[in-house]
Amino acid sequence: MYVSHQAPRWTGLALSLLVFAAVVPAPASAQLDPGTPAGPAPALVGPNCPLTRIGTQLVRCGDLTGAGVAAAIWIPES
């Protein structure tokens, strides 16, 4: 006697629904962390730490800055 099984059809449908749910993007949301200060740290700004350059690297308060971008020639060299 021949018995028809519906499991492969339902398995394919469930698998396709899972793939569709994973592909469709969900809306994103962001929040401001209340523990972070609103502005830059006071120790890094002002006359105590001027922006200078050493060769082609930007330096502020002894720390390299500028993400490796070559410094402009008009920035004073220390």
Side-chain angles (χ1 to χ4, degrees):
M1 192 158 147
Y2 181 77
V3 178
S4 175
H5 293 288
Q6 298 295 327
R9 184 181 300 169
W10 286 108
T11 305
L13 178 64
L15 183 62
S16 64
L17 287 175
L18 284 173
V19 168
F20 179 74
V23 172
V24 176
S29 63
Q31 297 180 27
L32 179 62
D33 183 12
T36 58
L44 299 178
V45 180
N48 295 337
C49 297
L51 182 66
T52 58
R53 66 180 170 91
I54 298 176
T56 60
Q57 297 294 313
L58 294 170
V59 179
R60 183 183 300 261
C61 294
D63 294 328
L64 288 176
T65 183
V69 176
I73 195 73
W74 54 267
I75 297 174
E77 190 167 6
S78 62

